[in-house]
PDB file of all heavy atoms in Angstrom:
ATOM      1  N   CYS A1905     -10.228  19.523  12.999  1.00 96.00           N
ATOM      2  CA  CYS A1905     -10.916  19.167  14.118  1.00 96.00           C
ATOM      3  C   CYS A1905     -10.533  20.000  15.277  1.00 96.00           C
ATOM      4  O   CYS A1905     -11.018  19.846  16.486  1.00 96.00           O
ATOM      5  CB  CYS A1905     -10.708  17.613  14.485  1.00 96.00           C
ATOM      6  SG  CYS A1905     -11.322  16.435  13.250  1.00 96.00           S
ATOM      7  N   HIS A1906      -9.664  20.957  15.011  1.00 94.00           N
ATOM      8  CA  HIS A1906      -9.231  21.988  16.113  1.00 94.00           C
ATOM      9  C   HIS A1906      -8.596  21.216  17.283  1.00 94.00           C
ATOM     10  O   HIS A1906      -8.988  21.473  18.350  1.00 94.00           O
ATOM     11  CB  HIS A1906     -10.287  22.864  16.450  1.00 94.00           C
ATOM     12  CG  HIS A1906     -10.986  23.532  15.277  1.00 94.00           C
ATOM     13  ND1 HIS A1906     -10.358  24.574  14.584  1.00 94.00           N
ATOM     14  CD2 HIS A1906     -12.129  23.318  14.652  1.00 94.00           C
ATOM     15  CE1 HIS A1906     -11.038  24.912  13.620  1.00 94.00           C
ATOM     16  NE2 HIS A1906     -12.292  24.246  13.623  1.00 94.00           N
ATOM     17  N   THR A1907      -7.708  20.112  17.033  1.00 92.00           N
ATOM     18  CA  THR A1907      -7.227  19.427  18.160  1.00 92.00           C
ATOM     19  C   THR A1907      -5.729  19.028  17.758  1.00 92.00           C
ATOM     20  O   THR A1907      -5.209  19.388  16.747  1.00 92.00           O
ATOM     21  CB  THR A1907      -7.958  18.210  18.357  1.00 92.00           C
ATOM     22  OG1 THR A1907      -7.479  17.548  19.607  1.00 92.00           O
ATOM     23  CG2 THR A1907      -7.988  17.227  17.218  1.00 92.00           C
ATOM     24  N   ASN A1908      -5.096  18.176  18.538  1.00 88.00           N
ATOM     25  CA  ASN A1908      -3.782  17.814  18.270  1.00 88.00           C
ATOM     26  C   ASN A1908      -3.691  16.203  18.810  1.00 88.00           C
ATOM     27  O   ASN A1908      -4.527  15.775  19.611  1.00 88.00           O
ATOM     28  CB  ASN A1908      -2.745  18.655  18.953  1.00 88.00           C
ATOM     29  CG  ASN A1908      -2.888  18.737  20.372  1.00 88.00           C
ATOM     30  OD1 ASN A1908      -2.665  17.777  21.185  1.00 88.00           O
ATOM     31  ND2 ASN A1908      -3.234  19.990  20.947  1.00 88.00           N
ATOM     32  N   LEU A1909      -2.606  15.636  18.289  1.00 83.00           N
ATOM     33  CA  LEU A1909      -2.513  14.240  18.672  1.00 83.00           C
ATOM     34  C   LEU A1909      -2.045  13.898  20.094  1.00 83.00           C
ATOM     35  O   LEU A1909      -2.219  12.809  20.587  1.00 83.00           O
ATOM     36  CB  LEU A1909      -1.447  13.595  17.739  1.00 83.00           C
ATOM     37  CG  LEU A1909      -1.926  13.520  16.276  1.00 83.00           C
ATOM     38  CD1 LEU A1909      -0.835  12.780  15.436  1.00 83.00           C
ATOM     39  CD2 LEU A1909      -3.137  12.695  16.104  1.00 83.00           C
ATOM     40  N   GLN A1910      -1.512  14.974  20.819  1.00 83.00           N
ATOM     41  CA  GLN A1910      -1.291  14.800  22.252  1.00 83.00           C
ATOM     42  C   GLN A1910      -2.466  14.634  23.147  1.00 83.00           C
ATOM     43  O   GLN A1910      -2.629  13.962  23.982  1.00 83.00           O
ATOM     44  CB  GLN A1910      -0.429  16.029  22.657  1.00 83.00           C
ATOM     45  CG  GLN A1910       0.995  15.985  22.312  1.00 83.00           C
ATOM     46  CD  GLN A1910       1.162  16.245  20.774  1.00 83.00           C
ATOM     47  OE1 GLN A1910       0.410  17.028  20.249  1.00 83.00           O
ATOM     48  NE2 GLN A1910       2.049  15.551  20.085  1.00 83.00           N
ATOM     49  N   SER A1911      -3.589  15.420  22.707  1.00 83.00           N
ATOM     50  CA  SER A1911      -4.744  15.227  23.376  1.00 83.00           C
ATOM     51  C   SER A1911      -5.825  14.457  22.809  1.00 83.00           C
ATOM     52  O   SER A1911      -6.792  13.995  23.552  1.00 83.00           O
ATOM     53  CB  SER A1911      -5.424  16.758  23.598  1.00 83.00           C
ATOM     54  OG  SER A1911      -5.668  17.339  22.381  1.00 83.00           O
ATOM     55  N   THR A1912      -5.696  14.073  21.515  1.00 89.00           N
ATOM     56  CA  THR A1912      -6.650  13.222  20.899  1.00 89.00           C
ATOM     57  C   THR A1912      -5.992  12.215  20.087  1.00 89.00           C
ATOM     58  O   THR A1912      -5.411  12.452  19.131  1.00 89.00           O
ATOM     59  CB  THR A1912      -7.472  14.127  19.737  1.00 89.00           C
ATOM     60  OG1 THR A1912      -8.031  15.320  20.513  1.00 89.00           O
ATOM     61  CG2 THR A1912      -8.614  13.380  19.199  1.00 89.00           C
ATOM     62  N   PRO A1913      -6.057  11.084  20.580  1.00 89.00           N
ATOM     63  CA  PRO A1913      -5.377   9.863  20.005  1.00 89.00           C
ATOM     64  C   PRO A1913      -5.867   9.485  18.615  1.00 89.00           C
ATOM     65  O   PRO A1913      -7.127   9.683  18.340  1.00 89.00           O
ATOM     66  CB  PRO A1913      -5.426   8.705  20.957  1.00 89.00           C
ATOM     67  CG  PRO A1913      -6.692   8.983  21.677  1.00 89.00           C
ATOM     68  CD  PRO A1913      -6.833  10.602  21.794  1.00 89.00           C
ATOM     69  N   LEU A1914      -5.098   8.782  17.838  1.00 92.00           N
ATOM     70  CA  LEU A1914      -5.450   8.262  16.516  1.00 92.00           C
ATOM     71  C   LEU A1914      -5.825   6.884  16.678  1.00 92.00           C
ATOM     72  O   LEU A1914      -5.152   5.973  17.228  1.00 92.00           O
ATOM     73  CB  LEU A1914      -4.304   8.352  15.523  1.00 92.00           C
ATOM     74  CG  LEU A1914      -4.607   8.230  13.980  1.00 92.00           C
ATOM     75  CD1 LEU A1914      -5.416   9.266  13.443  1.00 92.00           C
ATOM     76  CD2 LEU A1914      -3.291   8.004  13.252  1.00 92.00           C
ATOM     77  N   GLU A1915      -7.076   6.478  16.190  1.00 92.00           N
ATOM     78  CA  GLU A1915      -7.454   5.009  16.590  1.00 92.00           C
ATOM     79  C   GLU A1915      -8.050   4.513  15.238  1.00 92.00           C
ATOM     80  O   GLU A1915      -8.772   5.097  14.445  1.00 92.00           O
ATOM     81  CB  GLU A1915      -8.613   5.098  17.548  1.00 92.00           C
ATOM     82  CG  GLU A1915      -9.242   3.716  17.955  1.00 92.00           C
ATOM     83  CD  GLU A1915     -10.231   3.838  19.091  1.00 92.00           C
ATOM     84  OE1 GLU A1915     -10.082   4.747  19.947  1.00 92.00           O
ATOM     85  OE2 GLU A1915     -11.057   3.005  19.065  1.00 92.00           O
ATOM     86  N   PHE A1916      -7.487   3.161  15.012  1.00 93.00           N
ATOM     87  CA  PHE A1916      -7.923   2.506  13.768  1.00 93.00           C
ATOM     88  C   PHE A1916      -9.299   1.884  14.044  1.00 93.00           C
ATOM     89  O   PHE A1916      -9.465   1.234  15.059  1.00 93.00           O
ATOM     90  CB  PHE A1916      -6.965   1.362  13.503  1.00 93.00           C
ATOM     91  CG  PHE A1916      -7.316   0.607  12.196  1.00 93.00           C
ATOM     92  CD1 PHE A1916      -7.190   1.087  10.998  1.00 93.00           C
ATOM     93  CD2 PHE A1916      -7.678  -0.697  12.384  1.00 93.00           C
ATOM     94  CE1 PHE A1916      -7.560   0.345   9.942  1.00 93.00           C
ATOM     95  CE2 PHE A1916      -8.027  -1.578  11.317  1.00 93.00           C
ATOM     96  CZ  PHE A1916      -7.957  -0.925  10.104  1.00 93.00           C
ATOM     97  N   VAL A1917     -10.097   2.016  13.011  1.00 92.00           N
ATOM     98  CA  VAL A1917     -11.562   1.401  13.052  1.00 92.00           C
ATOM     99  C   VAL A1917     -11.576   0.378  12.056  1.00 92.00           C
ATOM    100  O   VAL A1917     -11.632   0.812  10.849  1.00 92.00           O
ATOM    101  CB  VAL A1917     -12.534   2.403  12.978  1.00 92.00           C
ATOM    102  CG1 VAL A1917     -13.991   1.945  13.090  1.00 92.00           C
ATOM    103  CG2 VAL A1917     -12.480   3.577  14.097  1.00 92.00           C
ATOM    104  N   SER A1918     -11.704  -0.903  12.312  1.00 86.00           N
ATOM    105  CA  SER A1918     -11.822  -1.902  11.372  1.00 86.00           C
ATOM    106  C   SER A1918     -13.256  -2.169  10.886  1.00 86.00           C
ATOM    107  O   SER A1918     -14.195  -2.056  11.714  1.00 86.00           O
ATOM    108  CB  SER A1918     -11.311  -3.241  11.898  1.00 86.00           C
ATOM    109  OG  SER A1918     -11.476  -4.215  11.038  1.00 86.00           O
ATOM    110  N   HIS A1919     -13.375  -2.486   9.640  1.00 80.00           N
ATOM    111  CA  HIS A1919     -14.770  -2.752   9.114  1.00 80.00           C
ATOM    112  C   HIS A1919     -14.828  -4.298   8.600  1.00 80.00           C
ATOM    113  O   HIS A1919     -15.836  -4.684   8.181  1.00 80.00           O
ATOM    114  CB  HIS A1919     -15.010  -1.824   8.017  1.00 80.00           C
ATOM    115  CG  HIS A1919     -14.241  -1.866   6.790  1.00 80.00           C
ATOM    116  ND1 HIS A1919     -14.370  -2.814   5.788  1.00 80.00           N
ATOM    117  CD2 HIS A1919     -13.186  -1.091   6.482  1.00 80.00           C
ATOM    118  CE1 HIS A1919     -13.330  -2.690   4.928  1.00 80.00           C
ATOM    119  NE2 HIS A1919     -12.635  -1.636   5.271  1.00 80.00           N
ATOM    120  N   ARG A1920     -13.660  -4.797   8.500  1.00 69.00           N
ATOM    121  CA  ARG A1920     -13.590  -6.245   7.989  1.00 69.00           C
ATOM    122  C   ARG A1920     -13.930  -7.183   9.093  1.00 69.00           C
ATOM    123  O   ARG A1920     -13.088  -7.360  10.022  1.00 69.00           O
ATOM    124  CB  ARG A1920     -12.298  -6.479   7.325  1.00 69.00           C
ATOM    125  CG  ARG A1920     -11.890  -5.547   6.286  1.00 69.00           C
ATOM    126  CD  ARG A1920     -10.482  -5.922   5.507  1.00 69.00           C
ATOM    127  NE  ARG A1920     -10.068  -4.809   4.841  1.00 69.00           N
ATOM    128  CZ  ARG A1920     -10.495  -4.482   3.607  1.00 69.00           C
ATOM    129  NH1 ARG A1920     -11.531  -5.140   3.121  1.00 69.00           N
ATOM    130  NH2 ARG A1920      -9.948  -3.407   3.019  1.00 69.00           N
ATOM    131  N   HIS A1921     -14.986  -7.909   8.933  1.00 59.00           N
ATOM    132  CA  HIS A1921     -15.470  -8.853   9.967  1.00 59.00           C
ATOM    133  C   HIS A1921     -15.486 -10.395   9.325  1.00 59.00           C
ATOM    134  O   HIS A1921     -16.359 -10.557   8.445  1.00 59.00           O
ATOM    135  CB  HIS A1921     -16.905  -8.565  10.413  1.00 59.00           C
ATOM    136  CG  HIS A1921     -17.247  -9.393  11.558  1.00 59.00           C
ATOM    137  ND1 HIS A1921     -16.645  -9.329  12.798  1.00 59.00           N
ATOM    138  CD2 HIS A1921     -18.253 -10.270  11.782  1.00 59.00           C
ATOM    139  CE1 HIS A1921     -17.259 -10.162  13.720  1.00 59.00           C
ATOM    140  NE2 HIS A1921     -18.095 -10.783  13.021  1.00 59.00           N
ATOM    141  N   GLN A1922     -14.511 -11.091   9.563  1.00 53.00           N
ATOM    142  CA  GLN A1922     -14.370 -12.476   8.970  1.00 53.00           C
ATOM    143  C   GLN A1922     -15.155 -13.553   9.857  1.00 53.00           C
ATOM    144  O   GLN A1922     -14.753 -13.563  11.064  1.00 53.00           O
ATOM    145  CB  GLN A1922     -12.932 -12.798   8.855  1.00 53.00           C
ATOM    146  CG  GLN A1922     -12.632 -14.001   7.949  1.00 53.00           C
ATOM    147  CD  GLN A1922     -12.669 -13.673   6.542  1.00 53.00           C
ATOM    148  OE1 GLN A1922     -12.680 -12.552   6.134  1.00 53.00           O
ATOM    149  NE2 GLN A1922     -12.760 -14.704   5.692  1.00 53.00           N
ATOM    150  N   THR A1923     -16.013 -14.076   9.427  1.00 49.00           N
ATOM    151  CA  THR A1923     -16.701 -15.097  10.039  1.00 49.00           C
ATOM    152  C   THR A1923     -16.468 -16.481   9.613  1.00 49.00           C
ATOM    153  O   THR A1923     -15.868 -16.677   8.607  1.00 49.00           O
ATOM    154  CB  THR A1923     -18.319 -14.878   9.958  1.00 49.00           C
ATOM    155  OG1 THR A1923     -18.691 -15.093   8.563  1.00 49.00           O
ATOM    156  CG2 THR A1923     -18.807 -13.665  10.440  1.00 49.00           C
ATOM    157  N   ILE A1924     -16.784 -17.477  10.445  1.00 45.00           N
ATOM    158  CA  ILE A1924     -16.634 -18.872  10.014  1.00 45.00           C
ATOM    159  C   ILE A1924     -17.248 -19.130   8.527  1.00 45.00           C
ATOM    160  O   ILE A1924     -16.770 -19.824   7.756  1.00 45.00           O
ATOM    161  CB  ILE A1924     -17.080 -19.875  11.050  1.00 45.00           C
ATOM    162  CG1 ILE A1924     -16.185 -19.695  12.211  1.00 45.00           C
ATOM    163  CG2 ILE A1924     -17.013 -21.309  10.472  1.00 45.00           C
ATOM    164  CD1 ILE A1924     -16.569 -20.604  13.478  1.00 45.00           C
ATOM    165  N   LYS A1925     -18.564 -18.660   8.502  1.00 48.00           N
ATOM    166  CA  LYS A1925     -19.252 -18.689   7.254  1.00 48.00           C
ATOM    167  C   LYS A1925     -18.535 -18.220   6.044  1.00 48.00           C
ATOM    168  O   LYS A1925     -18.476 -18.857   4.956  1.00 48.00           O
ATOM    169  CB  LYS A1925     -20.588 -18.039   7.436  1.00 48.00           C
ATOM    170  CG  LYS A1925     -21.465 -18.215   6.007  1.00 48.00           C
ATOM    171  CD  LYS A1925     -22.754 -17.516   6.287  1.00 48.00           C
ATOM    172  CE  LYS A1925     -23.630 -17.438   4.999  1.00 48.00           C
ATOM    173  NZ  LYS A1925     -24.917 -16.767   5.133  1.00 48.00           N
TER     174      LYS A1925
END
Side-chain angles (χ1 to χ4, degrees):
C1905 295
H1906 306 290
T1907 187
N1908 56 70
L1909 293 180
Q1910 285 71 38
S1911 60
T1912 310
L1914 194 67
E1915 184 175 324
F1916 179 72
V1917 179
S1918 176
H1919 63 82
R1920 305 187 192 282
H1921 187 69
Q1922 193 80 14
T1923 64
I1924 294 178
K1925 177 182 177 181

